């Protein structure tokens, strides 16, 4: 597996190894658990859950019974068991390990392949909630969850798709799973969710893609799936609340040549220049970092960026931005102003990935 290292950029005797933005903590809120409905407050099941959450002994007994019910011949019993396990895992973190140790993971994975959309949705969401426990991630992946989650990403309800994206994100936090998830066909489906999903779907897809695309082969898959079009469109829409997330995803893709070409073909240069003009400080810094990466070894792209009017806002950023933004803006200005010669660029830049 080839994981991308930070880019080391050298220009005019200066070297800095961070063309990306480290502060992604507020751009990407993790998928913490399902955010869908609870039981009706008056139901007997809800009272049973409250009792279970309050009493460890009752919780253990209930979990064992629910895991047994997952193998019932009655679809209604399976639905109820999956829903209760899902909520037990959501509402009390210590239940996540208990449920896994009770043997729930494999039968829940089987439910993800169900033709019943409600059963599938609860299976997906229960697996998502169990994956919030780090100790469960490897077991979930080794039990065969990846392909059924990808199938739910293709055929499930909107909630099932969103929660499948979140579950795949959680599994991708184990480095070895990233290639397996990419090779299972998840990347084009996540790109589709990014382009066509609701706001939560777009957010969850972008977060999963950001994690998965630290692996080079997944970057290529994402570009081939057409990711640059929705990224550029979302970055151009300041009302989408997706500018930061889309820019972070783009920043992990552009080290590969295919991504640079696709970005330019989809009209990304004018959008990036506009962000430098009117975006937030963090957005401006990300945009400059991306432009540095696409301009570093292409006279044509440098010419396009300069003709788009990038130098004035870059000068302004070099005077008023953060220290890192100032440095990147100054470097990009020097790069854009150098003679239109590929040989000159080669003498002053050295990028290793």
């Amino acid at each position: 597996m080839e994981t991308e290292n930070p880019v080391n950029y050298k220009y005019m005797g200066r070297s800095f190894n961070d063309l990306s933005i480290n502060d992604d903590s507020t751009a990407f809120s993790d998928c913490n658990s399902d955010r869908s409905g609870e039981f009706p407050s008056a139901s007997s099941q809800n009272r049973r859950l409250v009792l279970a959450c309050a009493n460890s002994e009752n919780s253990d007994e209930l979990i064992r019974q629910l895991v047994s019910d997952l193998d019932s011949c009655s679809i209604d019993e399976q639905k109820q068991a999956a829903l209760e396990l899902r909520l037990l895992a959501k509402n009390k973190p210590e239940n996540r390990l208990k449920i896994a140790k009770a043997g729930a993971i494999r039968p829940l994975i089987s439910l993800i392949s169900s033709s019943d959309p409600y059963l599938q949705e609860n299976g997906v969401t229960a697996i998502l909630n169990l994956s919030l426990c780090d100790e469960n991630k490897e077991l979930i992946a080794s039990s065969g969850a990846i392909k059924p989650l990808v199938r739910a990403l293709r055929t499930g309800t909107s909630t099932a798709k969103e929660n499948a994206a979140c579950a795949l994100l959680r599994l991708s936090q184990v480095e070895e799973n990233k290639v397996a998830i990419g090779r299972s066909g998840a990347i084009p489906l996540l790109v589709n969710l990014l382009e066509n999903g609701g706001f939560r779907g777009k957010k969850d897809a972008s977060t999963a893609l950001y994690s998965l695309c630290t692996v080079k082969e997944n970057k290529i898959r994402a570009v081939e799936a057409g990711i640059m079009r929705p990224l550029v469109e979302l970055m151009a829409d300041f009302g989408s609340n997706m500018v930061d997330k889309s820019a972070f995803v783009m920043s992990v893709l552009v080290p590969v040549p295919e991504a640079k070409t696709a970005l330019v073909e989809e009209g990304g240069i004018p959008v990036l220049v506009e962000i430098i003009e009117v975006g937030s400080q963090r957005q401006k810094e990300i945009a400059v970092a991306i432009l540095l990466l696409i301009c570093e070894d292409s006279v044509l792209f440098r010419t396009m960026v300069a003709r788009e009017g990038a130098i004035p806002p870059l000068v302004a950023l070099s005077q008023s931005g953060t220290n890192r933004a100032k440095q990147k803006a100054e470097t990009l200005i020097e790069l854009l102003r150098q003679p239109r010669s590929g040989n000159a660029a080669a003498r002053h830049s050295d990028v290793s990935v």
Side-chain angles (χ1 to χ4, degrees), residues 27 41 50 61 84 115 171 199 235 273 320:
S41 58
V50 171
E61 181 181 348
E84 293 196 35
S115 59
L171 298 183
F199 174 69
M235 288 171 62
V273 172
S320 63

Side-chain angles (χ1 to χ4, degrees), residues 39-40 42-51 62 80 84:
F39 286 122
S43 71
S44 61
Q45 290 90 349
N46 191 45
R47 291 195 296 272
R48 207 162 53 142
L49 277 173
V50 171
L51 178 63
L62 175 57
Q80 192 63 43
E84 293 196 35

